[in-house]
């Protein structure tokens, strides 16, 4: 038996329609979008266009030309940080961030470009909102927070933080790598100026897809210049979106899959997906409580909104349990720091990290039962 | 006779214009931008200015923040 419980890293399996749409593009019309006017190029361009329109509607963007495709969430956030922040700017972020936010910001700090404040979170992942409120300075340009943690199933109050940023006239960037496609996100209602999303997790698309949603008030300088299929007579890169931030041939094959992923979610209904996930996650948490050797981290069932469960044990380190689960039982999980050292420091699980179970849309109760029984056997033999 | 060519900033904007103009009831073709027109991107919209309400067309595209230029179509 094989059980995949690493959907926080990347979702698997993908809906059949995702696989089919990718094969269809490669087999039947694999042209380069925007590079010619022939039938294949036009069909490919339409797929990219329609995916932008879908994403714009999905996140309530101001306009679909402000949906920017990148190769992943890390690339998207880097483009945003490095294209917006200038010397002397102050940035506020949180202790729950992934390295995709912390590392580019620490690098900008090290180069003497920005001042950085990192707001504490408690061991349940709650951000110190009063501290956040008092951390704004005259030169604060940007607040950047994660939406949903990749360690425990909590979310940060993006609504509240967005409203605060709006009142201070400071840009708000949200890293929605774990939530985009799962929890409803409305960039206008949530006062988000820049949203980073990835295509291969909760949007159920293939890896190599992701991007940014930019509000109309956001200007980003491009890091990459090159071919865009537009203004070809000019030796300088165009300054209009999306071309400004998308030099080079786009990942059309990935974007066709991403489109099918979003359509799958819309067909199933986000509410149904959340309900299924909630049932599976609650069932998993309830079953784990029976195993005395395991400690569950995080704020408990009520606030465990995302299908992410982190555990530790006094008997084996996380990587040892993950290895036995994989090699002897075919259960795939993740152990360690999950690219989030600060988050583990906040939770008190640094440097060993945790063992993380992340079920997905296709995980069944049978998969959970098998995992729980396997864990029981491992601890019986301890 | 489809005698006018509309050019746009990028492929995205051609396709956005296509969507908007279809919804607004216009009849037109998508063509590779003719070589004699200083092109902004590889594709353009070609339509007949006699049977199309060009003032409405201009309004509906401008309302949707689409930047465009109109050229005569010459063979």
């Amino acid at each position: 038996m094989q059980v995949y419980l690493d959907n926080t890293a990347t979702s698997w399996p993908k809906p059949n329609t995702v696989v089919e749409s990718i094969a269809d593009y490669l087999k039947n019309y694999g042209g380069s979008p925007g590079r010619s006017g022939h039938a294949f190029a036009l069909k490919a361009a339409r797929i990219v266009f329609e995916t932008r329109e879908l994403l714009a509607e999905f996140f309530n963007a101001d306009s679909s030309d402000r949906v920017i495709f990148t190769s992943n969430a890390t690339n998207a956030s880097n483009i945003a940080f490095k294209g917006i922040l200038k010397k002397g700017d102050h940035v506020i972020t949180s202790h729950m961030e992934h390295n995709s936010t912390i590392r580019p910001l620490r690098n900008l700090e090290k180069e003497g470009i920005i001042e950085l404040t990192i707001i504490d979170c408690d061991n349940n992942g709650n951000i110190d909102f009063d501290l956040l409120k008092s951390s704004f300075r005259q030169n604060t340009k940007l607040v950047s927070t994660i939406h949903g943690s990749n360690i425990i199933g909590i979310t940060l109050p993006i609504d509240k933080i967005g409203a605060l940023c709006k009142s201070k006239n400071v840009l708000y960037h949200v890293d929605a790598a774990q939530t985009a496609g799962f929890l409803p996100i409305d960039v206008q209602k949530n006062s988000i100026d820049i949203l980073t999303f990835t295509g291969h997790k909760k949007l159920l698309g293939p890896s190599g897809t992701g991007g940014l949603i930019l509000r109309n008030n956001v200007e980003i300088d491009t890091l990459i210049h090159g071919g865009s299929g537009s203004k070809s007579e000019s030796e300088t890169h165009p300054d209009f979106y999306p071309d400004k931030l998308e030099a080079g041939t786009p990942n059309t094959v990935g974007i066709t899959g991403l489109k099918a992923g979003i359509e799958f979610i819309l067909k199933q209904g986000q509410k149904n997906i959340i309900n299924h996930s909630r049932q599976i996650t609650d069932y998993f948490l309830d079953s784990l409580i029976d195993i005395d050797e395991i400690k569950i981290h995080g704020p408990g069932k009520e606030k465990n909104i995302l299908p992410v469960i982190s555990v530790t044990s006094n008997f084996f380190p996380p990587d040892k349990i993950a290895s036995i689960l994989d090699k002897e039982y075919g259960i795939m999980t993740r152990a360690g720091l999950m690219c989030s050292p600060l988050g583990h420091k906040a939770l008190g699980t640094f440097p060993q990290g945790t063992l993380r179970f992340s079920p997905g849309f296709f995980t069944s109760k049978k998969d959970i039962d098998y995992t729980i029984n396997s864990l029981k056997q491992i601890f019986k033999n301890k | 006779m489809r005698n006018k060519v509309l050019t746009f900033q990028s492929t995205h904007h051609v396709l956005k214009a296509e969507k908007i103009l279809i919804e607004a009831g216009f009849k037109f073709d998508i063509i590779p931008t003719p070589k004699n027109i200083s092109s902004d991107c590889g594709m353009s919209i070609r339509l007949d200015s006699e049977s199309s309400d060009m003032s409405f067309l201009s309004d509906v595209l401008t309302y949707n923040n689409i930047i465009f230029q109109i050229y005569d179509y010459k063979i």
Side-chain angles (χ1 to χ4, degrees):
Chain A
M1 189 162 174
Q2 281 193 319
V3 176
Y4 184 80
L5 293 175
D6 199 13
N7 287 276
T8 300
T10 193
S11 56
W12 189 89
K14 307 295 181 188
N16 277 339
T17 47
V18 171
V19 180
E20 284 159 8
S21 67
I22 289 171
D24 183 38
Y25 168 75
L26 289 172
K27 275 186 194 164
N28 299 322
Y29 68 99
S32 186
R35 267 47 177 187
S36 319
H38 59 66
F40 283 8
L42 190 56
K43 188 161 181 196
R46 277 191 206 287
I47 294 286
V48 175
F49 169 76
E50 284 161 14
T51 312
R52 254 189 249 282
E53 292 267 300
L54 264 179
L55 284 161
E57 209 182 314
F58 202 78
F59 297 118
N60 199 20
D62 292 330
S63 157
S64 60
D65 59 8
R66 287 190 161 249
V67 175
I68 311 297
F69 287 120
T70 64
S71 54
N72 51 45
T74 299
N75 254 279
S77 294
N78 268 263
I79 289 168
F81 296 146
K82 290 167 187 173
I84 290 173
L85 298 169
K86 302 274 184 285
K87 196 168 171 62
D89 287 339
H90 173 237
V91 179
I92 302 172
T93 189
S94 90
H95 251 275
M96 288 314 288
E97 302 309 309
H98 189 271
N99 274 341
S100 60
T101 288
I102 290 297
R103 285 182 175 173
L105 290 179
R106 279 290 190 213
N107 188 60
L108 287 167
E109 183 192 37
K110 200 174 131 204
E111 287 183 354
I113 295 167
I114 62 162
E115 298 162 20
L116 185 62
T117 302
I118 302 177
I119 305 296
D120 292 336
C121 294
D122 67 16
N123 61 5
N124 284 329
N126 298 309
I127 191 163
D128 186 336
F129 197 74
D130 289 332
L131 183 61
L132 170 68
K133 242 166 136 176
S134 62
S135 294
F136 283 80
R137 301 176 191 166
Q138 280 234 295
N139 59 337
T140 304
K141 178 73 182 272
L142 179 82
V143 172
S144 176
T145 73
I146 200 163
H147 184 197
S149 167
N150 63 316
I151 312 173
I152 52 175
I154 59 109
T155 55
L156 263 60
I158 55 167
D159 243 351
K160 219 168 131 187
I161 302 171
L164 176 66
C165 291
K166 201 173 176 184
S167 74
K168 303 261 186 194
N169 205 19
V170 165
L171 293 173
Y172 184 34
H173 167 255
V174 170
D175 167 11
Q178 291 304 336
T179 52
F182 186 69
L183 297 179
I185 298 171
D186 180 324
V187 292
Q188 299 190 31
K189 219 169 87 187
N190 301 141
S191 302
I192 298 167
D193 296 292
I194 309 124
L195 181 82
T196 288
F197 67 92
T198 187
H200 70 101
K201 297 184 199 271
K202 303 294 188 291
L203 285 169
L204 303 176
S207 51
T209 57
L212 290 166
I213 309 289
L214 308 176
R215 300 295 301 282
N216 280 340
N217 58 316
V218 177
E219 274 306 318
I220 299 189
D221 293 335
T222 182
L223 309 171
I224 313 283
H225 305 82
S228 63
S230 54
K231 284 205 178 295
S232 291
E233 73 285 0
S234 170
E235 290 178 30
T236 57
H237 196 71
D239 61 357
F240 49 82
Y241 301 94
D243 296 31
K244 183 180 180 181
L245 298 177
E246 288 187 6
T249 303
N251 177 12
T252 316
V253 62
I255 292 168
T256 57
L258 174 59
K259 178 170 176 284
I262 301 165
E263 285 165 345
F264 179 87
I265 292 164
L266 293 173
K267 202 173 159 196
Q268 296 291 328
Q270 251 181 320
K271 266 195 183 150
N272 296 331
I273 292 175
I274 291 171
N275 283 344
H276 168 78
S277 158
R278 196 77 209 217
Q279 276 175 19
I280 289 288
T281 309
D282 285 357
Y283 182 65
F284 205 154
L285 282 166
D286 287 342
S287 310
L288 276 170
I289 290 169
D290 295 341
I291 306 175
D292 294 336
E293 293 90 343
I294 274 179
K295 180 184 181 216
I296 305 167
H297 295 268
K301 222 160 85 174
E302 293 280 293
K303 290 183 176 172
N304 209 108
I305 293 164
L306 304 172
V308 184
I309 298 169
S310 254
V311 303
T312 51
S313 169
N314 288 333
F315 294 94
F316 300 115
D319 58 296
K320 169 98 179 174
I321 307 171
S323 173
I324 301 171
L325 283 173
D326 177 38
K327 297 216 158 46
E328 293 180 24
Y329 298 95
I331 299 167
M332 290 163 265
T333 61
R334 175 139 182 211
L337 294 175
M338 300 125 197
C339 300
S340 301
L342 290 187
H344 280 286
K345 280 177 186 168
L347 300 179
T349 47
F350 186 85
Q352 210 171 43
T354 53
L355 171 65
R356 182 183 71 189
F357 302 101
S358 49
F361 180 74
F362 297 99
T363 307
S364 66
K365 280 193 174 171
K366 207 176 119 202
D367 295 330
I368 305 302
D369 288 339
Y370 176 66
T371 305
I372 293 293
N373 287 335
S374 304
L375 283 167
K376 282 179 179 167
Q377 277 185 38
I378 291 171
F379 287 110
K380 212 168 98 187
N381 302 334
K382 71 184 180 276
Chain B
M1 166 62 184
R2 298 202 159 162
N3 62 337
K4 294 285 179 192
V5 173
L6 272 61
T7 66
F8 301 87
Q9 285 181 312
S10 72
T11 305
H12 173 81
H13 295 99
V14 179
L15 295 172
K16 184 79 189 178
E18 179 191 37
K19 190 175 172 182
I20 292 163
L21 293 178
I22 286 173
E23 279 169 14
F26 285 90
K27 298 263 184 284
F28 55 90
D29 298 322
I30 297 262
I31 59 162
T33 305
K35 278 265 188 310
N36 57 345
I37 292 174
S38 169
S39 77
D40 276 346
C41 100
M43 286 185 291
S44 301
I45 282 178
R46 184 179 152 202
L47 48 61
D48 177 10
S49 63
E50 301 287 314
S51 62
S52 307
D53 182 344
M54 296 304 279
S55 148
F56 176 49
L57 175 136
S58 187
D59 286 349
V60 78
L61 290 178
T62 307
Y63 176 76
N64 284 283
N65 297 315
I66 308 278
I67 297 167
F68 66 99
Q69 286 177 301
I70 303 179
Y71 296 90
D72 287 331
Y73 180 70
K74 291 170 193 148
I75 301 161

